[in-house]
């Protein structure tokens, strides 16, 4: 048996998320179906974590176990030929039997892109959130400083979460500069709650608009009350950038 690691990029706009669901197209389901055509058997693909409907990945990591004798180069080419154009297997390598895409991960890095411009873009609409009002990047940067470290992020936990604890550790959170009117939020954490990044971004945008001060943002974090936080940022601006092992 061989343990195969894949690095995957995808545009999540046409899917209801990474993870298999009872109805609707998912990234995992599409990849498993293509693998099944090549290997002539159902093969379970395990991802590093789920991404929600409409969320993208630059470098999602997954693994599967197979006893196929087909060489990896042929398997890699064949899989990419079968996959739709919005999903690409960037890398496929054999790894040690104890590697697990989810449980071996030390941290995950997400980026959220905001197009801060009064004029909408026909090109960026699928991959960013357009915010028309001027945003104060410095205020958002000051506010986000309180996020780093181990905290209870219940204020930013999405509805329907089944996690036993809402405590997580954010290793870094940065707010990128205004290069060509882009604002880029980057976060690295050991793990994430449902909608956690999008809920934090939605609340930081209120800081950028002047609706909250950095001090009030800290109060929202410490309240551990979702009703105190801002809106959930739309999914199309969110990217799983990297998984670290």
């Amino acid at each position: 048996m061989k343990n195969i690691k894949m690095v995957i990029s995808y545009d999540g706009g046409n899917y209801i998320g990474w993870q298999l669901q009872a109805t609707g197209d998912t990234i995992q389901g599409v990849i498993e179906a293509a693998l099944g055509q090549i290997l002539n058997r159902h093969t379970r693909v395990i991802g590093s974590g789920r991404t929600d409907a409409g969320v993208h990945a630059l470098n999602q990591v997954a693994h599967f176990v197979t006893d196929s004798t087909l060489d990896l180069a042929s398997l890699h080419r064949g899989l990419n030929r079968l996959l739709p154009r919005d999903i690409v297997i960037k890398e496929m390598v054999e790894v040690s039997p104890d590697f697990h895409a989810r449980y071996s991960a030390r941290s995950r890095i997400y980026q959220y892109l905001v197009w801060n411009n009064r004029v909408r873009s026909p090109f960026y609409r699928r991959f960013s959130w357009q915010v028309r009002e001027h945003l104060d990047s410095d205020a958002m940067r000051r506010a986000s400083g309180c996020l780093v470290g181990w905290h209870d992020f219940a204020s930013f936990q999405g509805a329907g979460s089944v996690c036993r604890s809402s405590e997580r550790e954010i290793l870094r959170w940065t707010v990128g500069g205004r290069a060509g009117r882009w604002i880029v939020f980057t976060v690295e954490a050991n793990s994430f709650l449902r909608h956690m990044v999008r809920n934090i971004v939605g609340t930081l945008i209120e800081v950028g608009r002047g609706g909250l001060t950095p001090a009030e943002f800290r109060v929202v974090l410490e309240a551990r009350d979702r009703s105190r936080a801002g809106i959930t940022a739309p999914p199309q601006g969110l990217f799983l950038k990297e998984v670290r092992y």
Side-chain angles (χ1 to χ4, degrees):
M1 301 296 288
K2 295 181 288 189
N3 193 19
I4 308 301
K5 171 188 173 185
M6 298 185 292
V7 179
I8 309 159
S9 286
Y10 52 83
D11 171 356
N14 295 324
Y15 302 91
I16 59 172
W18 163 268
Q19 187 167 330
L20 287 171
Q21 299 184 42
T23 58
D25 291 332
T26 66
I27 310 296
Q28 181 185 9
V30 170
I31 294 175
E32 287 185 359
L35 267 178
Q37 290 187 54
I38 298 172
L39 302 178
N40 295 316
R41 67 179 65 181
H42 178 259
T43 301
R44 176 66 71 214
V45 173
I46 306 296
S48 67
R50 65 181 67 184
T51 53
D52 294 326
V55 174
H56 318 293
L58 300 177
N59 295 287
Q60 169 71 285
V61 177
H63 80 276
F64 64 93
V65 176
T66 181
D67 60 1
S68 172
T69 59
L70 184 66
D71 69 275
L72 283 186
S74 297
L75 179 57
H76 190 178
R77 288 194 299 270
L79 191 54
N80 274 332
R81 279 197 294 267
L82 289 174
L83 289 172
R85 294 176 65 86
D86 51 10
I87 304 175
V88 174
I89 309 301
K90 298 174 64 176
E91 179 183 324
M92 181 179 287
V93 295
E94 184 174 359
V95 291
S96 64
D98 61 349
F99 174 84
H100 192 284
R102 179 181 177 186
Y103 297 126
S104 299
R106 294 186 296 108
S107 67
R108 296 159 181 85
I109 300 172
Y110 280 88
Q111 282 192 331
Y112 195 96
L113 305 184
V114 171
W115 174 239
N116 190 206
N117 196 317
R118 297 185 65 84
V119 180
R120 63 182 175 86
S121 168
F123 308 109
Y124 305 145
R125 61 186 175 81
R126 285 178 62 90
F127 305 107
S128 64
W129 178 18
Q130 181 191 6
V131 178
R132 292 176 172 82
E133 305 94 328
H134 171 76
L135 296 175
D136 186 338
S137 296
D138 290 337
M140 293 188 291
R141 193 174 295 114
R142 293 196 306 274
S144 64
C146 68
L147 296 169
V148 178
W150 192 275
H151 301 285
D152 186 333
F153 288 97
S155 290
F156 303 111
Q157 180 172 247
S161 176
V162 295
C163 295
R164 288 178 293 179
S165 171
S166 53
E167 293 186 357
R168 295 292 187 273
E169 182 182 17
I170 287 185
L171 304 173
R172 63 184 172 104
W173 183 290
T174 62
V175 181
R178 185 184 296 274
R181 300 193 182 229
W182 286 106
I183 296 176
V184 182
F185 301 92
T186 303
V187 57
E188 179 178 4
N190 61 340
S191 63
F192 294 87
L193 300 168
R194 177 177 172 82
H195 296 167
M196 176 175 158
V197 176
R198 291 164 56 197
N199 289 337
I200 292 174
V201 169
T203 310
L204 284 174
I205 291 298
E206 286 304 303
V207 175
R209 286 169 167 156
L212 286 174
T213 67
E216 289 169 335
F217 179 86
R218 177 184 285 274
V219 172
V220 170
L221 169 65
E222 295 173 349
R224 300 189 294 277
D225 179 356
R226 176 67 185 96
S227 67
R228 301 284 296 274
I231 65 169
T232 303
Q236 74 272 9
L238 185 60
F239 293 76
L240 174 57
K241 182 181 180 183
E242 183 182 349
V243 184
R244 292 186 169 174
Y245 293 92

